[in-house]
Amino acid sequence: EIAILKETTTVFFHQIESVRKELVNHNKGVVSINIDKLKKLTPLKIYLFELLQPFGFTQIEAIILTLNTQSGKQFFSTTHELLIDREEIFISKIKPEKDSVLEINQTDKQIKDPIQLKFSFSKDMNISESNNIAQLDFAKLTFPLTLRKWQKGDKFKPLGMSTFKKLSDFFIDNKFSILQKKKQWLLCSADEIVWVVGCRIDNRFRVQPTTKKLYIAELLN
């Protein structure tokens, strides 16, 4: 009987590992699990317990209940945060909150933390199509610039628009996941959003025929 039990255990863990390889994806420190595929597993409770065990989660029944109902619900273990989005479960390490606002001086050439940005000046008026490059009218900027996370109530004038748009609506229009919103940084000048980093600059700071000098911020991956 002990031999049979050992073999059964081996089969069980082999099956768990097979499911883990198929369902659990790792990308830049974030783990994702497809919810539709997960729901097809039977018994779901056992599988989910095994898949989440390495991250220290024990609230399995509560997580299962939330899969169908509450996008945006968060759970915490001592080391990790679990976020239920529309199609995926996202798991990431809990990081200690760093200083939430970073100042960028006119003389700064580069920052490496919390994200990598490179700064330069130019008189070349050729416009880049890359979302990772913000070309701004230097004369319109007030230094030091600030880098911060987005907050409720934030608004800006997306490039090409003359009216303000709530950042929360911009996120919806551009199909941002909850995780993307959480990780989004803003470059600001005197409390005005200059650049939704890696996405869109504000129309008020764009290069115009009157622009004499460009300030260029580039997001490095």
Side-chain angles (χ1 to χ4, degrees):
E1 282 187 17
I2 291 172
I4 290 172
L5 192 60
K6 276 185 179 174
E7 286 175 10
T8 306
T9 306
T10 304
V11 170
F12 171 74
F13 283 112
H14 186 270
Q15 177 61 18
I16 292 291
E17 285 313 304
S18 173
V19 166
R20 200 189 306 278
K21 276 182 187 167
E22 191 189 339
L23 262 68
V24 179
N25 295 303
H26 296 261
N27 184 20
K28 293 180 182 174
V30 177
V31 172
S32 62
I33 302 171
N34 183 282
I35 290 172
D36 280 345
K37 286 182 183 174
L38 184 66
K39 283 189 195 165
K40 288 174 184 161
L41 298 175
T42 310
L44 177 55
K45 188 176 170 183
I46 300 291
Y47 277 109
L48 195 56
F49 174 79
E50 291 295 337
L51 293 176
L52 297 183
Q53 197 180 27
F55 310 106
F57 291 99
T58 54
Q59 319 95 306
I60 306 304
E61 287 179 1
I63 291 168
I64 289 171
L65 281 172
T66 324
L67 288 179
N68 300 312
T69 53
Q70 280 178 282
S71 177
K73 180 77 174 167
Q74 289 171 289
F75 294 90
F76 296 90
S77 71
T78 51
T79 55
H80 287 77
E81 171 190 353
L82 183 149
L83 179 68
I84 294 174
D85 205 351
R86 292 183 295 276
E87 294 171 3
E88 309 270 342
I89 290 174
F90 291 109
I91 301 164
S92 52
K93 265 192 174 172
I94 296 169
K95 290 178 186 163
E97 278 297 320
K98 292 196 174 169
D99 193 1
S100 53
V101 178
L102 185 77
E103 287 195 348
I104 294 159
N105 296 302
Q106 200 172 313
T107 51
D108 289 342
K109 299 276 193 294
Q110 190 166 354
I111 60 164
K112 293 192 173 179
D113 196 38
I115 51 174
Q116 288 197 62
L117 289 172
K118 188 170 81 173
F119 308 104
S120 58
F121 300 96
S122 176
K123 292 188 176 176
D124 180 356
M125 297 297 159
N126 287 328
I127 300 300
S128 168
E129 296 293 316
S130 171
N131 285 337
N132 286 341
I133 296 174
Q135 292 166 299
L136 308 162
D137 187 331
F138 173 71
K140 302 242 173 81
L141 298 171
T142 305
F143 285 87
L145 302 180
T146 54
L147 187 72
R148 65 170 174 85
K149 289 286 183 80
W150 78 284
Q151 299 157 356
K152 279 187 176 144
D154 273 339
K155 60 186 192 298
F156 78 125
K157 293 184 177 180
L159 183 64
M161 285 181 67
S162 57
T163 54
F164 278 105
K165 189 177 190 77
K166 277 188 186 169
L167 201 52
S168 53
D169 291 337
F170 176 79
F171 289 150
I172 290 166
D173 291 350
N174 289 277
K175 297 185 168 55
F176 269 56
S177 70
I178 295 160
L179 199 67
Q180 284 174 309
K181 283 194 277 189
K182 209 170 169 204
K183 291 188 157 191
Q184 184 60 57
W185 288 93
L186 305 174
L187 188 65
C188 303
S189 166
D191 292 332
E192 299 287 354
I193 295 171
V194 170
W195 185 28
V196 180
V197 177
C199 300
R200 189 84 57 89
I201 66 165
D202 186 293
N203 201 57
R204 293 166 293 175
F205 298 91
R206 75 191 188 281
V207 175
Q208 298 181 64
T210 52
T211 302
K212 292 185 171 62
K213 186 177 180 183
L214 270 65
Y215 180 77
I216 299 168
E218 184 177 354
L219 177 64
L220 305 172
N221 290 329

